[in-house]
Every structure is written in C-alpha cells, then in structure tokens.
Amino acid sequence: DQQVKQNSPSLSVQEGRISILNCDYTNSMFDYFLWYKKYPAEGPTFLISISSIKDKNEDGRFTVFLNKSAKHLSLHIVPSQPGDSAVYFCAASGRNYGGSQGNLIFGKGTKLSVKP
Amino acid sequence: DTAVSQTPKYLVTQMGNDKSIKCEQNLGHDTMYWYKQDSKKFLKIMFSYNNKELIINETVPNRFSPKSPDKAHLNLHINSLELGDSAVYFCASSQVWGGETQYFGPGTRLLVL
C-alpha cells in the first residue's frame, strides 16, 4: 500500500532545460511534504519542503508545487545542471497529527539524469 | 564535521549472527530515526525515538531493537540475522519530533550471507 507514489523511475533532460519530477499521495492526513536528493553511496539530503497551507514554495532553482485537491506535488528545477543528476525522493507526513503520523513516508524515487 | 554519522559503512555477516550499527548526530537534535532501504529502493521508517517516546513501525520484527545511550546516539541492534535483512540502513535526526526536516547519515550496507 504505497501512500506516496513516484510513477516515473527515471527522467532525462538536457542541461539548461526544466526538470519536472512528480509525486502523488493517497493519505488525506498528510500535511507536510518534502523533496530529498540522493547521490550514490550517500544518505538523502533535504532539498525543499512545503506545508499543506501553501501551494508553492521556491528556493533558488527549485520550486515545489502542491495541488491538494489532486493529491499531487511536483518539483521543478530550472535551469537543470549536470550536478543535479541524482535520485529524488518525495516524502510526506501528517506532522500535525502526532505520533506515528509524523513519520516521513517516502516514494520510491526518480532518477534524474541531466545531460551536458 | 559530519552531522549524522554511521558505523560501519559496510557489514557482511552470516545468518544467525547478532550485529549492531552505530549512529551519532552532532546537531543537537532531539529526535533520531532508523530507516531501511530494501532491494526495491523503498525507504521505510523503522523507529522514531526521542528521550520520551519510542515509536516502532509495526512491521519491524522484534529482532530489531534501538538503543540510545544518550541524546546524540541511537544504535540499532539486530539479533539472529536473516537473509531478508540485507539492505541499506539509514540513521536520521531532526530538531523536533515528527515530520520536521530530517538529516540523514550516509547509510550502512548490510549483507547477510
């Protein structure tokens, strides 16, 4: 029972173009969403987050969009750079509900390749 | 100055053995976690722990137990290792309990033969 789904296992884009990574969730109690980036043989590193009271959050080249009615979020990277090549994990939690609802639930990840 | 560190990085062992993985964070965080990334690449929470409460994912076998000597450390003990325990185990920490931005260690790659 995947509560957080990343249906694209991989994505390839050209340097300088936009990368769009998608994520869908099923649990209506999720109220906090995060994107993590992971390089091989390293742990995931936090990239950007968004609370359910917002529909957009921007940090430099990275923007996360949240569509609560569709239970969908996306990460936009503009412009994409070769150093962005990594696996991107979407994660969600119901942090305002406390207890185990505050745990992060991760998607399976999307491997982004940015070609020079 | 690694924020969250784990030892060992690699662990190869035989079925039936007992092993431990250590985790330390120097961020002054109150909460620590253990995750398992299996062969299908899913990252799944195993334990959430602060000095007041331990939350165990109900799917985790009781052969797995977290031990916290102090706030900066959360070690993972695994008894009677099985082939299916082979995975990458990540430790993480966050400033407060529940859903806040978590900082991950580099992972421990466990192979059970």
Side-chain angles (χ1 to χ4, degrees):
Chain A
D1 178 26
Q2 295 180 50
Q3 298 185 67
V4 178
K5 299 178 185 179
Q6 294 177 257
N7 292 321
S8 299
S10 63
L11 175 67
S12 181
V13 300
Q14 205 67 35
E15 181 179 6
R17 297 288 190 98
I18 184 171
S19 296
I20 300 176
L21 297 103
N22 294 303
C23 178
D24 298 294
Y25 62 96
T26 58
N27 190 337
S28 301
M29 294 177 76
F30 287 151
D31 55 14
Y32 190 60
F33 304 89
L34 308 91
W35 284 94
Y36 280 81
K37 176 179 177 179
K38 184 182 180 305
Y39 292 117
E42 295 183 10
T45 55
F46 170 73
L47 195 56
I48 192 169
S49 63
I50 187 167
S51 165
S52 60
I53 62 173
K54 295 185 175 181
D55 54 20
K56 177 183 175 181
N57 188 26
E58 190 172 352
D59 183 2
R61 296 185 297 114
F62 302 91
T63 303
V64 56
F65 295 92
L66 175 63
N67 182 335
K68 282 185 294 183
S69 60
K71 294 192 175 67
H72 177 84
L73 65 155
S74 60
L75 175 68
H76 292 211
I77 307 174
V78 182
S80 301
Q81 299 173 355
D84 296 330
S85 297
V87 177
Y88 289 79
F89 289 96
C90 171
S93 78
R95 65 176 179 172
N96 286 323
Y97 294 90
S100 62
Q101 293 294 338
N103 286 330
L104 289 182
I105 308 298
F106 282 84
K108 200 173 176 179
T110 296
K111 184 176 182 180
L112 174 66
S113 299
V114 180
K115 301 189 182 306
Chain B
D1 283 356
T2 306
V4 182
S5 59
Q6 296 178 227
T7 53
K9 193 165 185 178
Y10 299 95
L11 183 55
V12 181
T13 188
Q14 300 286 331
M15 277 177 56
N17 284 351
D18 302 337
K19 289 293 178 185
S20 294
I21 306 171
K22 294 185 177 181
C23 177
E24 177 181 2
Q25 54 95 3
N26 62 9
L27 297 166
H29 287 170
D30 283 340
T31 308
M32 297 183 73
Y33 311 83
W34 276 105
Y35 287 85
K36 178 182 179 180
Q37 187 179 31
D38 59 22
S39 58
K40 296 182 180 178
K41 304 301 181 187
F42 277 108
L43 259 173
K44 291 183 180 176
I45 184 74
M46 299 178 71
F47 304 101
S48 307
Y49 182 80
N50 66 13
N51 59 356
K52 298 176 184 175
E53 190 173 3
L54 169 68
I55 294 181
I56 302 171
N57 184 323
E58 59 190 17
T59 65
V60 175
N62 57 15
R63 298 181 294 105
F64 291 78
S65 58
K67 298 251 187 325
S68 180
D70 55 58
K71 202 172 82 165
H73 297 83
L74 184 66
N75 303 324
L76 181 64
H77 294 264
I78 315 170
N79 295 324
S80 302
L81 277 156
E82 300 178 357
L83 294 176
D85 297 333
S86 296
V88 183
Y89 293 85
F90 290 98
C91 176
S93 72
S94 64
Q95 190 163 15
V96 296
W97 179 270
E100 287 292 334
T101 305
Q102 296 179 15
Y103 296 84
F104 283 77
T108 295
R109 284 139 193 86
L110 171 65
L111 177 60
V112 182
L113 302 175

